[in-house]
Amino acid sequence: MLYLMMVPVVAYFILFAYYPLVKGLQVSFQDYRLMGNRPYIGFHNFETVLHDPMFWRSFWNTLWIGAGIMICGFLAPLILALSLNEVLQNWYKKTAQMILYIPHLLSWVVVGGIWIFLLSPDTGLVNLLLVKLTGHSPIHFLSQESWARSIMIGSAVWKDMGYNCILFLAGIVGINPSLYEAARMDGATRWQQVRFVTVPQLMNTMKVVILLNTMGIFRIFDQVFVMRNPAIARKVDVLMMYTYQKGIMEIRIGVAAAASFFVVLFTLLITMAVRKLTRFDEV
Amino acid sequence: MSRERYDRMGWKNKLFDAVNAGFLLVLMLTMIIPLLNVAALAFSSGMASMRPDIILFPKQFSTEGFRIVWNSLDLWLPFRNSVVVTVTGTTLHVLLSSLAGYVLIHPHLPGKKIMVTFVLLTMMIPQDVVMIPLYVVNKELHLINTLNALVLSGLVSGFSILLMRNFFLSVPYEMAESAQIDGAGAFRIFSTMYMRLATAGLATVTLFEFVSRWNNFSSALLFINNTAKYTLQIALKAMIIDTSNTSGTYLVTTNVRMAGILITIIPLIAIYPFVQRFFMRGILLGANKE
Amino acid sequence: MKVKFTALLSAIFAVTILLSACSNSSKNNNSDASPSPAAPSPTGTEAGSSAEPSAQPEKLRILAANVGGKTPEETALFQQELSKRTGFEVTLEKPASDYDQKQLTALSSGEKYDLMEISDLAKFRNFISQGVVTDLTDFVTSSSMLSDPAVIPSAEWDLLKTEDGKIYGVFSKFQGATMPIVRQDWMDKLGLQQPKTLDELYKVLKAFKEKDPDENGKADTYGLSTAGLYEIQGIMSAAGLKARYVMKDGKRTIPYATDAAIPMYEWFAKLVKEGIMDPNFVTNDTAKMRNLFLTDRVGMVTYWDAWVGMFNNLKKQEDPNTKFVAKGIESIPGPDGTILMRRGDPDFWFIPANAEHPEAAKKFLEFWHSQEGIILGSLGIEGEDYTVSNGTYTLTENGKAHNLDHGVPFWYNTKVEPPFGKLPGVQEAQDLATKYATLELALPGWPDAEKILQNYALKAMSGQMPAKDAVAAMQKELKAANLID
């Protein structure tokens, strides 16, 4: 009976996930021409990828940006959640929570456009403030390599902050109130309560957030696709961008497939590593 | 939450509260201002909206953008398609994911480990590697250019299954066992007991799925050529498309684009407050580990 | 219990079927021919050979990027109109965006189309080498229609010829050229002459920036805006540098990456530093650039000839008394007096190698260059976009909104007069284009080379890197990647 209930799901996955995946694997071993015969060429495509400096540049960009998003995308929502939790007025808290969640509802096409506009040296709000407050001349953030990655990380954190913050908030709500009472009996200040009760109690939620963020690292694409420009491309083009360029722009479908399988491999490796490091399976 | 009043006494605490509230306000502003800007542009007239100096208030107030995008550009059609696909797709998704999630809570089910791995692995398949094979599968099933293709794409997902499984795990297993002894079958236990106890979980998965389906762009792009079957995101992208490499002379003014964006995001913002209540509780249960 | 489960499953199926029924019934009534391409129709598809004079018209399946309606509804009508006019049962599919991806997926998954539109020569060459494209040399040379120089000037076919002289595509429209477009009204107001040298250009742009040409009392105007390196040919012309590749003594060179380009990048850097150049030029897309021009923020952009007319017309629609005058001007002549303009890749049709109805496709290509086809491709659909009475054309509201462009804003066929004439300024701009513009050479490595070029050129132009170093770095990388000789 239970197995029967699993049938539609398994059937779906086989047909729409595993079968295409196996097909894709097959493509990565082929000289995949658009029409006509498609001879098998062994590991040639994989070699091409590994010898391509562009691939490695994309790889390091991905790690850089990914690591940034992982760390900041973990800390920022945590701080936000703790800060929200200190708000007494319920209406303010609820409103804030809702507004902070909004960017997560939007697609990158919209969010990317918003940030390009905000960062514009001409009319962008960020530069207007910069000039008004500090007298500094406008900075053209999106054309400078030195800013490029920080901006990708910043906007990604901004977008998903509200979402991850809710995960933390939910964790905080689940903390046993008697722990706080006990802390107060011992004369703990507000800060001490946060430090010695809330944060340790959030460990599990933290692990979930870290793991979810990790699995997304190698998938960054939409954001870069929308926000990149040729001046900063070398600092922000990520692995998925590489496969897109090989496959769609240069019509080297076999090479793109091979590169994608490296992406799968990296994701697997890093997910396993993070699971180990955070001792996810323990406790 | 149930902090006592004395926590809040003293000027230091007061100061902290003020600073904290201010900090949140600034953050909120960074989220609100861009949206207000989009709205200001959408409510400006065509030419005025292309000026870069509109920030918070419309210039030459006009609803022309909405009229054009809705009537002349027929956005109502993709809007309807999006609603159909999102609602049907989300319903089926939630149903099937719960079903699988329920199966996977049984501790002594032989082959469970294999099934969990089977589900987990699907979360790591990159979209672009399967793009062409996926197209072929849909083609073989005669799904190209149908909304069914969009409903079927992402019919279940590993993420939702595991999330539902977590919600179900919070229901005491003993309850199910005793029901079983009373002669209730697996499906009945699922439908009468688990589905009811996991409303919060259902709300969470529903919201996630609703948002991602509403925002889905890639599969609509892949499977739909027939303009009558476009979804909102596709239609929106078509308006923003850059025609620089050909000498085409079609111009969509900024207010029209922004009106399109607003129409696309308003449903999401509108439903959010209603699910927020369940959603918090849902996350609480779902975010427990594994 | 099993019964219940089966009930659920059937419920799911019922919903699915219901949905499909629903979506079928909601299909536009006019697209009754369900375009299910995979449906194998075993009845002799080559019915065109009139083996059996069946009532079924021959099918024709088209994948288009620009040709078609502006809305789903209109594209359906367009398809209907095409069927009516050509006598084929036409299926017109026009993806909303990401056309490249769409086309690639369709081709590699064995989807069968009879005609496809494309406007990227580098990609097209790639298609040819991957065996995707049907050779049309014989068809074009033997077609009395297409080989007529009044329909398509003979020299134009060179744009579509491969090295071995074969023709694989047929134009879908006349694609002009890009050129500097200035605010002539600002020039007049400030008493400026059309610039003939780089220095004169600098003075004009500086005046645009500093002399408040829009009379709003603020120095909020820019002299020049571009969208990245798109399109600086009109200015690079001053140093005699042609875009993309140039073959010199059998060697591949990229003029924009030669030492001669250094002073040009320095010139741009000066513009940027002095605030004469729109600082957003790196992140601009062409739409943003156009918007600046339309809203009195910038005095010069470089863009398509057709847009000279668009700019003027849009402003006129907003305010009938507008002073706004856009004018296409010649590029700055090089040291030897040569004027370089960018032709851009043509927009054209090709017949995929797996087409099921290539003969119908060929008939369509001839139709497309006939009076009827051209009117359809420009004005649009009779009754929907325009009406005719006594040979006079009148545009409907829809027709006006669609700007006489349903994929063919301009055409080659000199026998077909534009019913509404051309928008103000277009004819002059097109004359410049035909006089000076020449096609760029896109060799296979161009996409890679372009990335290297853009990376350093933009850095040099925005002043983040000395032009000399940038060019040296370009050359080094291009050499190392074997992209120049």
Side-chain angles (χ1 to χ4, degrees), chain B residues 58-69:
Chain B
K59 281 221 169 107
Q60 304 177 12
F61 183 89
S62 135
T63 51
E64 168 201 71
F66 291 89
R67 221 177 42 240
I68 292 181
V69 85

Side-chain angles (χ1 to χ4, degrees), chain C residues 42-98:
Chain C
T43 46
T45 35
E46 305 305 310
S49 52
S50 74
E52 37 168 340
S54 65
Q56 275 278 333
E58 196 175 351
K59 290 196 167 90
L60 182 67
R61 191 166 177 229
I62 303 172
L63 186 69
N66 302 307
V67 170
K70 300 295 182 200
T71 64
E73 214 176 338
E74 206 202 357
T75 300
L77 286 175
F78 204 90
Q79 168 176 312
Q80 215 178 18
E81 187 76 4
L82 275 176
S83 305
K84 200 174 97 192
R85 305 255 175 181
T86 58
F88 302 120
E89 189 187 322
V90 178
T91 314
L92 177 67
E93 294 174 25
K94 186 187 176 195
S97 66
D98 298 62

Side-chain angles (χ1 to χ4, degrees), chain C residues 273-334:
Chain C
K273 196 165 165 234
E274 296 176 10
I276 298 173
M277 181 106 168
D278 166 22
N280 282 320
F281 77 99
V282 180
T283 46
N284 274 352
D285 53 24
T286 53
K288 284 196 189 122
M289 172 183 92
R290 288 185 325 228
N291 287 354
L292 282 181
F293 192 71
L294 277 169
T295 51
D296 301 335
R297 289 293 310 275
V298 66
M300 180 175 175
V301 292
T302 52
Y303 206 47
W304 293 97
D305 48 3
W307 273 84
V308 176
M310 282 294 292
F311 286 140
N312 287 326
N313 193 38
L314 281 164
K315 289 301 269 194
K316 197 129 237 158
Q317 277 174 11
E318 185 198 31
D319 169 16
N321 301 320
T322 184
K323 292 190 193 125
F324 181 101
V325 182
K327 187 185 174 198
I329 62 170
E330 288 157 8
S331 305
I332 307 299

Side-chain angles (χ1 to χ4, degrees), chain A residues 100-132:
Chain A
L100 295 171
Y101 193 77
I102 288 177
H104 186 74
L105 298 174
L106 312 180
S107 59
W108 267 113
V109 177
V110 176
V111 173
I114 287 175
W115 275 97
I116 292 174
F117 173 76
L118 285 179
L119 293 171
S120 146
D122 179 27
T123 49
L125 284 176
V126 176
N127 270 309
L128 284 182
L129 284 178
L130 185 79
V131 174
K132 279 233 169 82

Side-chain angles (χ1 to χ4, degrees), chain C residues 388-404:
Chain C
V388 197
S389 63
N390 303 329
T392 327
Y393 290 85
T394 318
L395 287 181
T396 63
E397 277 307 308
N398 268 341
K400 278 181 200 152
H402 296 164
N403 264 323
L404 310 179

Side-chain angles (χ1 to χ4, degrees), chain A residues 175-225:
Chain A
I175 297 171
N176 190 342
S178 61
L179 289 174
Y180 289 107
E181 265 159 47
R184 269 196 300 271
M185 299 282 261
D186 295 341
T189 62
R190 251 167 116 184
W191 164 244
Q192 283 170 329
Q193 287 176 34
V194 171
R195 169 75 184 76
F196 295 108
V197 181
T198 316
V199 172
Q201 288 293 315
L202 275 180
M203 260 336 165
N204 276 339
T205 317
M206 292 182 192
K207 287 179 181 178
V208 173
V209 171
I210 288 182
L211 199 73
L212 283 178
N213 283 350
T214 314
M215 291 176 80
I217 284 187
F218 287 102
R219 301 209 162 184
I220 309 165
F221 176 73
D222 290 7
Q223 175 190 14
V224 172
F225 189 75

